[in-house]
Amino acid sequence: MVFLVVLFCSLFVQCCAEGEQNASNKKARNDSTIVTNASDTQIPLGTKALIIAYPHFVKGYKNNNLLLADGSQMQYDDGREKSFAEKLDDADPEDMFAFTYKRTGEEPEYLQDAGRSRCEALFKMMYGESETVVRQKLVQVEWFGEKVLFTPVNGAADSLRAVVKELKDHPELKPYLKSSGTFNWRKVRGANRQSAHSYGMTIDIGVSQSDYWLWKNPGKKETDKIVYTNRMPTELVNIFERHGFIWGGRWYHYDTMHFEFRPEILIYDTSKHQV
Ligand SMILES: [Zn+2]
């Protein structure tokens, strides 16, 4: 997958410790330099991740704005302090990096839901602003005896095909692969934000072997402490992550059937560990 090559070869050669990065972020937001090179250290780490993950849409950064391919700009950080719920319901691009995506065997930490925060304007700009527009772009991907609909935008469908190719070498994972849905234009249950399934870059698999935080913790609110559980194998998760998909099992509000094409989250996570 192209983004992984880019990720490991060129991105964070100049990456500094996070504290230093924060300092440079503040500087970058106040200067007037147009930056179109993602290796430049003078732009926020999150913007670099977006430029590398979505090169056909996010071209650069200037004065706290993402420079988009159509010539328009999108505010990166609205500067507002947000509650946990607001980071999910009213996310700007910067909020998408507010949580830690931990690629370890540890359980997710309290309220760490990296990837559940999505800037809706950015995703609608990339994948389509309506059900009709997203649907028109979808292509079929062969998925273990099924055909699933997926978006080719940002290389998502090709990334899913690469996942299939690798999974074919792991017959022991076959029992977990039955798809229970990809594209579905809908709001998140109980919320007013668009589900990731609306954009055609998300797949749910292995429902009968999966766990969802509300099934295990009925009646709990999102800010309540909950019990974690997972039955999905690590190797399955690793294969998806190698091709740009995040896993809902890494969320405090876990959804272990859920795999979502979000290369920017993985790039950001990797960059934080490269010093
Ligand atoms: Zn899902």
Side-chain angles (χ1 to χ4, degrees), residues 108-128:
E109 290 174 20
Y110 179 60
L111 299 188
Q112 292 301 308
D113 282 358
R116 283 185 80 210
S117 180
R118 306 173 193 91
C119 173
E120 216 160 278
L122 180 64
F123 282 84
K124 286 184 173 173
M125 183 270 293
M126 294 194 295
Y127 294 107

Side-chain angles (χ1 to χ4, degrees), residues 82-94:
K82 293 177 187 170
S83 66
F84 173 75
E86 287 168 336
K87 283 175 186 166
L88 299 185
D89 290 337
D90 188 17
D92 61 19
E94 185 246 359

Side-chain angles (χ1 to χ4, degrees), residues 197 202 204 255 258:
H197 287 276
T202 299
D204 288 339
D255 182 0
H258 181 98

Side-chain angles (χ1 to χ4, degrees), residues 118 180-182 186 189 195-197 202-205 251 255 257-260:
R118 306 173 193 91
S180 60
T182 54
R186 63 171 171 83
R189 272 182 296 277
S195 159
H197 287 276
T202 299
I203 185 168
D204 288 339
I205 58 171
W251 298 339
D255 182 0
M257 73 186 80
H258 181 98
F259 293 89
E260 176 176 340

Side-chain angles (χ1 to χ4, degrees), residues 16 24 28 75 91 99 112 123 136 146 153 202 206 228 232 236:
C16 47
S24 79
Q75 187 180 56
F99 303 116
Q112 292 301 308
F123 282 84
Q136 280 169 349
E146 307 172 58
V153 175
T202 299
Y228 182 80
M232 293 297 237
L236 176 62

Side-chain angles (χ1 to χ4, degrees), residues 238-252:
N238 290 343
I239 290 170
F240 270 98
E241 287 181 340
R242 274 200 284 279
H243 297 286
F245 290 81
I246 59 167
W247 175 46
R250 302 233 190 265
W251 298 339
Y252 187 71

